[in-house]
């Protein structure tokens, strides 16, 4: 897994390197056409030497800035430093206050724009990036004064979030509508999720391979088997042990074996309005595991597919840490930018 690390760029006061091409016509021959000392906002540099050049081909003039500088008042280092401060949990106003202590006056709205621009840059970078295996998981983060449902998509090849949707993961139709353009644009062929039923519907609807996170499966199956251990007749306890062994090994023929075990149990005798007996609960468990067995074993036939969804959960963990440090996102644009930055970057 690789996470994008925010490295502050260098800022040079001047440069003797000539531009490689014209900013207007891509010409390669220039005349130096003057120079100017440009004041900049930076934690170390206060002004830089900027040269002006005239293109010998189109006769137009343009400025050539030293490394780490643009036509903006802020240097690239200060702009990214502002983003780092916000990513670490400071508000826009607090980030502005920190910079003022370093004798750099930057308004909180400028920092807000820097954060939005960096988030959009990451979004554009990932928009057409090929992604074969996509991790999906839902979360609730603070926004508009209350917790809001979001769905996070992560490239499991790199561990980097691809996008965040204002979607409830329990709604398979909404998830499928949101995911379809992503699948078509970036070539997703396999999704890795928890064992929520809506993801199975989505995978079938979009004709995607599906790997269910083994940690989720083993957690709920282990808990169910533990409960059944105390309630089913002793002559059937051997089935529980065999189910545990099948989950440990995950053999390809596990589905057939589970179905055979299901057929050995007596049929249901309770009425629909009655609680199910322990043996009936075991029958339901065996049938569910047999039916979904292929989604537990996808990683065995496709080496690029992980057997857990840990990378997605780690990205969500970083997002939740950032969400707890703000009072609440005021708009979806702000929420999306904040969550993407928090889930993508580390310092």
């Amino acid at each position: 897994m690789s996470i994008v690390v925010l490295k502050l760029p260098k800022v040079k006061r001047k440069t003797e390197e000539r531009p490689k091409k014209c900013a207007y016509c891509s010409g390669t021959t220039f005349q130096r056409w003057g120079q100017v000392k440009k004041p900049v906002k930076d934690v170390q540099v206060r002004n830089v030497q900027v040269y002006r050049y005239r293109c010998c081909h189109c006769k137009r003039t343009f400025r050539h800035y030293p490394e780490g500088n643009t036509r903006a008042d802020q240097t690239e280092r200060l702009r990214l430093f502002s983003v780092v401060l916000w990513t670490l949990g400071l508000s826009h106003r607090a980030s502005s206050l920190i910079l003022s202590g370093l004798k750099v006056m930057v308004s909180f709205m400028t920092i807000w724009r820097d954060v939005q621009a960096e988030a959009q840059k990451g979004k554009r970078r990932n928009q057409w990036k090929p992604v074969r295996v996509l991790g999906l998981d839902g979360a609730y983060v603070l926004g508009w004064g209350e917790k809001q449902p979001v769905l996070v998509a992560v490239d499991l090849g790199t561990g980097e979030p691809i996008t965040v949707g204002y979607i409830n993961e329990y709604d398979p139709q909404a998830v499928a509508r949101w995911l379809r353009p992503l699948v078509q644009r970036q070539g997703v062929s396999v999704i890795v999720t928890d064992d929520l039923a809506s993801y199975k519907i989505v995978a079938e609807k979009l004709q995607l391979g599906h790997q269910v996170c083994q940690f989720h499966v083993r957690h709920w199956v282990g808990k169910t088997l533990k409960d059944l251990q105390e309630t089913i007749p002793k002559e059937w306890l051997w089935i529980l042990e065999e189910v545990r062994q099948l989950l440990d090994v995950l053999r390809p023929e596990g589905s057939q074996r589970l179905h055979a075990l299901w057929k050995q149990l007596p049929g249901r005798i309770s009425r629909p309005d009655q609680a199910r007996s322990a043996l009936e609960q075991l029958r339901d468990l065996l049938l569910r595991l047999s039916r979904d067995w292929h989604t537990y074993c996808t990683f065995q036939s496709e080496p690029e597919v992980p057997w857990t969804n840990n990378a997605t959960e780690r990205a969500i963990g970083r997002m939740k840490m950032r969400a707890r440090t703000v009072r609440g996102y005021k708009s979806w644009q702000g929420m999306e930018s904040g969550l993407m930055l928090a889930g993508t970057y580390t310092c």
Side-chain angles (χ1 to χ4, degrees):
M1 183 190 73
S2 62
I3 298 297
V4 178
V5 178
L6 282 176
K7 294 182 179 179
L8 299 182
K10 295 179 180 179
V11 175
K12 292 186 177 180
R13 288 182 170 85
K14 64 178 182 179
T15 179
E16 296 299 329
E17 295 181 359
R18 298 173 69 86
K20 291 182 170 45
K21 64 179 182 179
C22 174
Y24 301 102
C25 71
S26 299
T28 56
T29 308
F30 316 100
Q31 294 174 300
R32 186 172 286 181
W33 209 253
Q35 61 184 23
V36 64
K37 187 170 286 188
K38 180 181 185 294
V40 295
K41 293 182 178 181
D42 186 75
V43 292
Q44 296 178 352
V45 178
R46 293 295 177 255
N47 53 72
V48 296
Q49 192 76 36
V50 180
Y51 291 106
R52 194 169 187 84
Y53 288 88
R54 181 175 183 265
C55 177
C56 296
H57 183 261
C58 68
K59 311 303 181 185
R60 301 181 71 175
T61 61
F62 61 92
R63 287 186 172 189
H64 181 57
Y65 295 93
E67 182 182 350
N69 294 275
T70 64
R71 61 184 298 177
D73 291 339
Q74 298 181 87
T75 64
E76 287 297 294
R77 175 167 57 196
L78 182 68
R79 185 189 66 79
L80 204 54
F81 185 48
S82 302
V83 175
V84 169
L85 291 175
W86 190 88
T87 304
L88 290 176
L90 295 176
S91 67
H92 299 112
R93 291 183 187 274
S95 301
S96 176
L97 185 61
I98 291 290
L99 293 176
S100 69
L102 299 174
K103 298 183 179 180
V104 182
M105 306 307 296
V106 180
S107 72
F108 73 92
M109 282 305 299
T110 298
I111 295 176
W112 181 87
R113 285 190 289 270
D114 291 341
V115 170
Q116 300 299 311
E118 189 64 27
Q120 290 304 312
K121 185 169 140 185
K123 191 174 181 180
R124 288 192 298 271
R125 182 178 65 242
N126 292 331
Q127 188 173 12
W128 297 100
K129 173 184 175 183
V131 178
R132 182 173 176 273
V133 184
L134 191 72
L136 293 175
D137 202 358
Y140 285 86
V141 296
L142 185 65
W144 306 293
E146 58 184 21
K147 288 190 174 182
Q148 304 292 335
V150 297
L151 186 58
V152 181
V154 173
D155 177 3
L156 294 184
T158 64
E160 184 179 359
I162 298 299
T163 188
V164 179
Y166 186 29
I167 304 291
N168 191 326
E169 64 176 339
Y170 291 91
D171 184 349
Q173 303 304 322
V175 174
R177 284 195 302 270
W178 175 78
L179 188 60
R180 189 186 301 276
L182 197 66
V183 171
Q184 295 172 345
R185 184 174 65 239
Q186 299 184 266
V188 177
S189 59
V190 181
I191 59 173
V192 182
T193 70
D194 58 27
D195 56 339
L196 198 64
S198 58
Y199 290 126
K200 180 183 177 183
I201 298 172
V202 170
E204 292 174 351
K205 189 177 183 67
L206 300 182
Q207 298 181 338
L208 297 172
H210 188 196
Q211 171 65 47
V212 175
C213 176
Q214 282 296 300
F215 283 155
H216 288 83
V217 173
R218 298 187 183 204
H219 174 74
W220 73 262
V221 173
K223 185 177 183 303
T224 303
L225 293 177
K226 183 178 179 181
D227 293 339
L228 291 174
Q229 187 90 27
E230 306 296 328
T231 55
I232 68 169
K234 292 183 178 180
E235 61 267 24
W236 298 107
L237 288 176
W238 64 273
I239 292 184
L240 305 186
E241 186 58 34
E242 185 161 352
V243 172
R244 292 190 182 98
Q245 292 176 4
L246 287 171
L247 280 176
D248 285 340
V249 180
L250 289 176
R251 292 174 180 168
E253 67 276 9
S255 177
Q256 291 83 358
R257 180 55 185 161
L258 288 165
H259 191 264
L261 293 175
W262 172 79
K263 292 174 68 175
Q264 293 183 42
L265 290 171
R268 180 174 178 176
I269 58 174
S270 61
R271 297 195 306 269
D273 58 337
Q274 291 179 327
R276 296 186 180 182
S277 67
L279 282 180
E280 290 171 340
Q281 293 176 38
L282 179 57
R283 276 174 54 87
D284 292 343
L285 173 65
L286 294 173
L287 190 60
R288 176 179 175 180
L289 293 177
S290 174
R291 183 187 60 221
D292 297 339
W293 191 256
H294 66 284
T295 66
Y296 307 152
C297 306
T298 303
F299 74 97
Q300 293 179 336
S301 58
E302 303 193 43
E304 296 179 13
V305 178
W307 76 315
T308 72
N309 203 18
N310 285 356
T312 307
E313 293 175 350
R314 281 194 293 267
I316 291 175
R318 293 191 295 271
M319 293 177 182
K320 287 184 175 180
M321 287 293 292
R322 181 63 187 95
R324 282 199 290 267
T325 63
V326 295
R327 294 181 182 177
Y329 296 101
K330 304 300 188 295
S331 67
W332 169 244
Q333 182 184 12
M335 179 184 285
E336 181 185 27
S337 299
L339 295 178
M340 283 293 293
L341 280 178
T344 301
Y345 297 118
T346 184
C347 302

